[in-house]
Amino acid sequence: MKLALTIAGSDPSGGAGIEQDLRVWQSLGIHGMAIATALTVQNADEVKDVKPVNPQLVSDRMQALFEAHPPSVIKLGMVANADVAQAVAEGLQRWAGNIPLVHDPVLSASSGTHLLEPSGLRVLLKRLLPRTTVLTPNWDEAVRLSLQVASAAGTHEECAAALQKAGADWICITGGDRNEPKARDFVSGLGVSEYMEGERHPGPSPHGTGCAFSAATAAFLKPGQSPFSALKAAKAYVSNAIGRARPLDAAGQGRRVLVFDGLQ
C-alpha cells in the first residue's frame, strides 16, 4: 500500500488542511498519515484564528513516523510561523532523504486571514522551496513568493522562473482569471511550459480546492514518470470533485465543500 504523509494545518470543518488531504487519499486507496503544524479556529466560510503547534512536537512526530513508516510521498501545506517551518525543514533534511515533496504554500485564507508570518515566509523561501519537487501556489501566492526573489512577476512565466530559481523543480500556478471560459493552470518544469485547461465550474470556488489539488498530485506521482502526468490527473480529479461539491449545512447555504465519494 502506498503511504503518503501530510504536514499541514488542521481544519475542524474537514474541508481543508490535513483532513482534506486524508479524504483525498482515502478515496484513492492510499494510506494517509498526518502531522499537524497548526490548529485553526474556522468553519468552511471563515478562518477566525490560528494556533501553531509546538515545533518540538512537530519534530518528534516526524521522527517517529519516518523511523517506522517512511512515506513514499509527502504533501506540505501550512507551516504557520518560522519556528514550525524551521522544524519541518530540519525534519525533512534529517529523515526524508529523496522522498518527493508536493508543496502547497499556504499564505492566507480565502477570507483574507494571514496564515504565515513574515519570518516564516523567509524560512519557506530559503529552506523549503529548495526541497520542493512540485510547488502548487495559486496566482496570488505565486506573485507574493516570486517578488521575494525577483523584481518582476507580471506573468505566469516570470513567476514560475523566479520560483524555480528559488529551488522548486516544478511549478503549477493554479487558478487565474475567473472570466476566462476555461480553468487554466500554468505548469513549468523540465521540458514543459504550458497551460492545463479544464472545465470552468460556475459560482465561487469550493472550500479546500488547493489542498485537494496538491494532495491529489502527491497521490498520482509515480517513480520514473514526469510530474506533469500527476498534475494533469490531479486537475481532472479535483474538477470532478468540484462538480459534486455540496454545502455542509442542512439548509444548503454557505460555502460548498468537495465530494470525493466514488471518484478514482
Side-chain angles (χ1 to χ4, degrees), residues 5 50 54 109 174 208 224 230 242 249-250:
L5 170 63
V50 176
N54 183 290
T174 63
I242 293 173
D249 59 282

Side-chain angles (χ1 to χ4, degrees), residues 120-173:
L121 180 61
R122 291 191 288 272
V123 177
L124 185 154
L125 288 163
K126 292 181 179 180
R127 299 209 58 189
L128 293 175
L129 251 62
R131 180 59 180 79
T132 296
T133 307
V134 182
L135 187 72
T136 62
N138 61 34
W139 171 243
D140 291 337
E141 291 164 342
V143 170
R144 184 176 170 189
L145 288 171
S146 60
L147 285 175
Q148 302 294 314
V149 294
S151 58
T155 67
H156 288 92
E157 290 84 352
E158 288 173 340
C159 285
L163 296 172
Q164 286 172 307
K165 182 179 179 180
D169 294 334
W170 282 75
I171 314 294
C172 180
I173 302 174

